[in-house]
């Protein structure tokens, strides 16, 4: 059981996508995890039973020990928005209305009871329940864990109840919302609509659109034309960053699709790309156009936030805050001296924000400074999920009859892995607590040598089984970040894109931008080709010895032995699969792919020595393509 007199709050997000649970004890984050990692269903929206059970167990608590439960939005307000929207657009949307209403009338309107019933499955208890608004939860997740005593707060996503964007101000334990943009006018939904038009999955493929944009031809007539069409016909972007969407072009308010296909086709002169089909230059240019518009909107919103608050610090959350290209450019503009982005910026992070809002606002508890904590913030490097003991790893190896070598000297293990990476091998890296949020940060990662020109292709096609155009991120020792990239500060959560340092770049062929996509991709643009995107950019994770000493030690070993302070870091999963959680998940992914080796704790498993992996059925059909 937990300590006497401690005050615990369970934060929850559920029923839309990326359900999660977070436990605060006396205002500190004890545990946080997404439900998908346990159920193995990507973006699982179900009540987070497994995640909540883990969080409680981590602190030795039961529901009876909870002072409060906080849910990340207000169901009645969301229901009001649905009713008013259907009424405003009637008779359009009748099919969608008839599909949505029974679920609301039967379940979601009675959310308080539903939450208590679900919590009862975890054990007896009757904590009070808080329902902070969706964007207040995002704002709380951005400000309260941040390193700053005061900050401007910017939240941007698809939609919560009514709000789609908010600008606020945080100071101490106070958090106020100053401006709101309301549904159906939404930067996040605009970006999602173009994501769908380019053939990617909404609420999943937006990061692919961001990765595709650099293949667009900067300054070309077609990019300019797409930009102008979107700004003239689809969205009115105002000087303060607010926007109005022309709903004649969009179906998401009332329909089961994002776009009005005939109007989109007529305006753009480009049909919707079928999923999994070839990506032509037209779609690359369209991706660049919407990325540029999104960046301009974010810049204007940030400038308005600076004017309203007068703060030199900015904190961000909401799904659009995961657009690390826009974040990096915003930082370089200098509108704010300091920017901090919640690593679980999407709906999973709403669980954390709801708990923090309940603690600081609902229960009026003071906020303490985080400057002395590892990383300087409250997030503990985002390593907040389950960890597994040596005994549990050993039992997994025995279960699969998997030969494994245990290293009593971790430095010797690091040297062995560094040598493997240097010979072109891809290594699964399973260490410590699982990450909270969408990024693998060295707890559940697949690693490679960034100097290897073939590594990007190998990881995409033979291990991740995903589209070949997608870039990979570097993990760089924090101390060497400025030497490798044009970035003057840490980027611990892989939420800032910055250019590769000029000294590491190589000249491009004269015909570079006229070449087909994959011909461009496989040109060596720097001496770190596996992590240098086609526009010389990289999505950077700086690794701190304070927050992840084992991962830091491995990369430092690679630096000392191979003269390279960078490794390729991609999430430990295949396309459509959640990031691995358990040793068994890791071993299965290792054996199903062409990964060469797996490190779990102090154990090294080499592919050549493993028994034949036997599957019943086609495992790839188990994971829905994202």
């Amino acid at each position: 059981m937990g300590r006497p007199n401690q005050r615990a709050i369970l934060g929850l997000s559920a029923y839309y996508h990326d359900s999660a649970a977070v436990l605060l004890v006396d205002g500190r984050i004890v545990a946080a995890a997404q439900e998908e990692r346990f159920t193995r269903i990507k973006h699982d929206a179900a009540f987070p039973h497994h995640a909540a059970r883990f969080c409680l167990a981590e602190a030795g608590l039961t529901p009876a020990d909870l002072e409060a439960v906080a849910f990340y939005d207000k169901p009645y307000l969301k229901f009001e928005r649905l009713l008013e929207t259907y009424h405003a657009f009637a008779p359009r949307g009748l099919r969608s209305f008839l599909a949505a209403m029974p679920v609301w009338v039967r379940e979601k309107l009675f959310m308080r009871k539903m939450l208590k019933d679900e919590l009862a499955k975890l054990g007896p208890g009757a904590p009070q329940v808080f329902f902070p608004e969706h964007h207040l939860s995002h704002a709380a997740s951005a400000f309260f864990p941040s390193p700053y005593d005061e900050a401007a707060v910017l939240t941007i996503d698809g939609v919560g109840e009514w709000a789609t964007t908010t600008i606020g101000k945080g100071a101490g334990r106070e958090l106020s919302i100053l401006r709101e943009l309301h549904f159906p006018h939404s930067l996040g939904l605009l970006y999602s609509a173009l994501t769908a038009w380019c053939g990617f999955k909404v609420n999943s493929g937006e990061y692919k659109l961001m990765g595709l944009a650099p293949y667009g031809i900067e300054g070309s007539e077609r990019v300019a034309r797409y930009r102008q069409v979107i700004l003239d016909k689809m969205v009115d972007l105002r000087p303060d960053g607010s926007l109005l969407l022309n709903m004649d072009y969009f179906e998401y308010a009332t329909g089961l699709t994002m776009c009005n296909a005939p109007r989109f086709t007529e305006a753009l002169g480009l049909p919707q790309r079928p999923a999994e089909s070839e990506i032509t230059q037209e779609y690359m240019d369209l991706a660049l156009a919407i990325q540029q518009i999104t960046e301009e909107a974010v810049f204007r919103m940030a400038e308005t936030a600076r004017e309203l608050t007068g703060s030199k610090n900015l904190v961000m959350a909401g799904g659009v805050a995961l657009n690390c290209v826009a974040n990096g450019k915003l930082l370089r503009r200098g509108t704010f001296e300091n920017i901090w982005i919640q690593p679980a910026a999407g709906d999973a992070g709403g669980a954390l924000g709801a708990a923090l809002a309940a603690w600081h606002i609902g229960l009026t508890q003071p906020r303490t400074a985080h400057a002395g904590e590892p990383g300087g913030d409250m997030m503990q490097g985002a390593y907040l999920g389950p960890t597994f003991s040596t005994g549990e790893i050993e039992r997994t190896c025995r279960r699969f009859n998997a030969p494994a070598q245990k290293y009593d000297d971790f430095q010797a293990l690091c040297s062995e892995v560094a040598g493997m990476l240097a010979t072109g091998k891809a290594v699964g890296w399973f260490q410590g607590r699982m990450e909270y949020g969408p990024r693998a940060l060295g707890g559940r990662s697949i690693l490679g040598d960034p100097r290897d020109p073939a590594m990007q292709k190998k990881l995409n096609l033979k291990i991740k089984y995903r589209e070949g155009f997608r870039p990979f991120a570097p993990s760089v020792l924090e101390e060497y970040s400025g030497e490798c990239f044009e970035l003057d500060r840490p980027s611990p959560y892989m939420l800032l894109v910055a250019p590769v340092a000029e000294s590491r770049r190589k000249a491009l062929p004269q015909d570079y931008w006229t070449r087909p996509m994959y011909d461009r991709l496989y040109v060596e643009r720097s001496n770190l080709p596996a992590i240098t995107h086609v526009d010389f950019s990289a999505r950077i994770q700086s690794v701190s010895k304070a927050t992840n000493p084992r991962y830091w030690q491995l990369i430092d070993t690679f630096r000392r032995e191979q003269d390279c302070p960078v490794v390729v870091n991609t999430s430990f999963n295949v396309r459509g699969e959640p990031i691995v959680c358990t040793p068994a998940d890791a071993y299965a992914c290792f054996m199903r792919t062409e990964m060469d080796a797996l490190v779990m704790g102090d154990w090294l498993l080499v592919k050549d020595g493993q028994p034949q992996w036997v599957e019943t059925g086609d495992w790839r059909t188990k994971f829905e393509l994202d």
Side-chain angles (χ1 to χ4, degrees):
M1 299 296 290
R3 301 188 316 273
N5 303 318
Q6 65 184 0
R7 305 178 70 181
I9 297 175
L10 185 67
L12 301 170
S13 62
Y15 306 125
Y16 183 46
H17 60 88
D18 294 305
S19 295
V22 174
L23 185 71
L24 298 185
V25 175
D26 295 333
R28 294 180 62 84
I29 309 171
V30 170
Q34 289 133 274
E35 186 70 0
E36 67 165 24
R37 309 291 169 84
F38 303 91
T39 63
R40 313 308 298 154
I41 300 170
K42 193 78 176 276
H43 304 302
D44 196 345
F47 183 88
H49 285 111
H50 300 83
R53 192 173 287 114
F54 151 70
C55 288
L56 291 169
E58 192 69 13
L61 302 179
T62 71
D65 300 309
L66 295 173
E67 180 169 352
V69 170
F71 188 72
Y72 80 133
D73 68 12
K74 288 186 179 293
Y76 281 112
L77 268 183
K78 188 170 281 189
F79 185 64
E80 174 191 270
R81 188 251 298 169
L82 290 171
L83 286 181
E84 289 197 22
T85 300
Y86 284 127
H87 181 264
F89 285 91
R92 288 168 59 193
L94 179 61
R95 278 181 60 212
S96 178
F97 176 82
L98 293 175
M101 284 305 105
V103 178
W104 276 91
V105 172
R106 186 173 65 248
E107 297 176 356
K108 293 186 179 180
L109 276 178
F110 307 99
M111 185 67 73
R112 187 180 298 272
K113 180 181 184 304
M114 192 158 77
L115 289 176
K116 289 185 174 181
D117 289 346
E118 297 291 358
L119 284 166
K121 297 175 184 176
L122 303 174
Q128 61 182 314
V129 182
F130 290 93
F131 292 94
E133 288 189 37
H134 183 95
H135 273 262
L136 180 61
S137 294
H138 276 320
S141 80
F143 175 61
F144 290 128
S146 78
Y148 314 131
D149 293 329
E150 60 81 31
V153 184
L154 180 59
T155 70
I156 318 169
D157 68 2
V159 61
E161 297 87 2
W162 279 105
T164 63
T165 298
T166 67
I167 294 172
K169 176 70 184 287
R173 72 164 191 83
E174 302 294 330
L175 181 57
S176 55
I177 303 298
L178 306 176
R179 294 270 181 92
E180 288 189 353
L181 182 65
H182 283 179
F183 184 84
H185 308 295
S186 166
L187 181 60
L189 290 173
L190 173 65
Y191 201 85
S192 290
L194 272 296
T195 296
W197 200 253
C198 288
F200 304 122
K201 192 173 180 180
V202 172
N203 289 330
S204 177
E206 284 81 0
Y207 63 97
K208 297 185 189 181
L209 192 71
M210 181 180 69
L212 184 64
Y215 291 92
I217 309 299
E218 190 92 37
S220 68
E221 182 277 333
R222 185 159 52 210
V223 171
R225 178 168 59 82
Y226 285 152
R227 247 182 88 96
Q228 209 55 50
V229 165
I230 295 168
L231 290 171
D232 286 347
K233 297 188 175 184
M234 299 181 187
V235 57
D236 178 8
L237 179 58
R238 305 294 177 82
D240 65 354
S242 63
L243 49 89
L244 293 173
L245 298 187
N246 181 350
M247 294 309 295
D248 290 342
Y249 285 87
F250 302 94
E251 295 288 341
Y252 60 76
T254 57
L256 303 175
T257 58
M258 293 300 295
C259 309
N260 182 321
R263 284 185 174 270
F264 255 70
T265 302
E266 180 185 10
L268 294 170
L270 185 68
Q272 185 168 7
R273 172 182 164 260
E276 307 305 313
S277 65
E278 179 188 359
I279 303 174
T280 63
Q281 189 61 50
E282 288 85 354
Y283 294 100
M284 302 176 216
D285 290 341
L286 180 57
L288 178 57
I290 188 58
Q291 176 66 27
Q292 289 175 344
I293 291 168
T294 299
E295 290 166 7
E296 184 59 35
V298 170
F299 300 159
R300 294 183 188 186
M301 291 173 184
E303 287 162 6
T304 301
R306 179 69 192 252
E307 291 168 8
L308 288 173
T309 65
S311 179
K312 66 179 183 179
N313 305 313
L314 175 68
V315 297
M316 299 173 67
V320 176
L322 294 171
N323 193 309
C324 46
V325 176
N327 297 342
K329 291 181 180 179
L330 176 61
L331 179 66
R332 290 192 290 280
R333 285 172 71 91
T335 306
F336 289 89
E337 291 180 26
N338 304 301
I339 298 177
W340 189 87
I341 303 141
Q342 167 55 237
D347 274 13
L352 172 60
L356 289 167
W359 178 249
H360 292 297
I361 301 171
L363 300 177
T364 66
Q365 293 302 302
R367 177 171 179 256
T368 55
H370 310 306
E373 298 188 15
D377 59 31
M378 189 183 185
M379 295 302 298
Q380 302 165 50
Y383 307 110
L384 297 164
T387 188
F388 296 87
S389 68
T390 295
E392 289 169 305
I393 293 170
E394 288 176 355
R395 285 191 290 275
T396 299
C397 293
R398 286 198 299 270
R399 171 185 164 191
F400 292 108
N401 295 316
Q405 181 180 355
K406 186 173 188 294
Y407 282 74
D408 295 323
D409 179 357
F410 186 69
Q411 181 55 54
L413 177 57
C414 288
S415 291
E416 182 68 24
V417 173
M420 288 180 163
L421 295 175
T423 57
K425 290 181 166 54
V427 179
W429 184 256
F430 182 100
Q431 296 285 342
R433 297 188 74 171
M434 181 178 69
E435 301 90 340
Y436 174 53
R439 306 286 180 237
L441 301 170
R444 305 289 185 272
S445 293
I446 301 171
L447 310 179
D449 186 344
R451 303 166 302 173
D452 184 348
M455 185 54 61
Q456 197 262 4
K457 186 174 185 178
K458 176 178 179 175
L459 289 173
N460 268 332
L461 302 184
K462 295 186 176 183
I463 294 172
K464 303 285 283 189
Y465 301 125
R466 68 184 198 180
E467 302 95 335
F469 74 85
R470 288 165 59 180
F472 287 100
S475 289
V476 58
L477 295 175
E478 187 176 82
E479 299 86 342
Y480 290 83
S481 179
E483 177 189 304
C484 300
F485 306 100
E486 293 180 5
L487 186 66
D488 63 354
R489 65 198 67 200
S491 175
Y493 302 120
M494 212 182 280
L495 287 169
L496 295 172
V497 163
V500 171
E502 191 76 41
S503 61
R504 291 185 173 269
R505 299 186 197 178
K506 296 183 178 181
L508 297 177
Q510 286 193 334
D511 64 343
Y512 181 73
W513 288 106
T514 62
R515 294 184 179 189
M517 171 192 271
Y518 288 105
D519 284 2
R520 270 178 274 163
L521 175 61
Y522 298 131
V523 167
E524 287 189 43
R525 292 170 292 280
S526 79
N527 61 9
L528 300 171
I531 56 86
T532 303
H533 205 11
V534 291
D535 60 350
F536 290 109
S537 68
R539 177 164 51 97
I540 299 159
Q541 180 203 2
S542 56
V543 179
S544 164
K545 190 175 184 178
T547 54
N548 196 332
R550 283 197 155 211
Y551 193 36
W552 185 93
Q553 187 174 345
L554 171 68
I555 304 172
D556 190 55
T557 302
F558 195 65
R559 175 193 66 82
R560 287 184 286 103
E561 297 183 2
Q562 302 297 332
D563 195 29
C564 181
V566 183
V567 297
V568 180
N569 174 14
T570 187
S571 56
F572 200 147
N573 60 343
V574 298
R575 184 181 174 192
E577 179 190 17
I579 294 172
V580 299
C581 176
T582 68
D585 297 335
Y587 187 76
C589 187
F590 167 57
M591 293 302 294
R592 287 165 170 167
T593 68
E594 295 185 38
M595 224 178 299
D596 299 291
L598 168 62
V599 178
M600 294 194 290
D602 296 324
W603 294 85
L604 173 64
L605 296 84
V606 178
K607 178 64 68 65
D608 290 346
Q610 301 305 308
Q612 184 176 357
W613 180 254
V614 179
E615 290 276 356
T616 54
D618 183 0
W619 64 268
R620 292 198 206 188
T621 62
K622 179 180 173 183
F623 303 122
E624 182 180 344
L625 292 183
D626 58 4

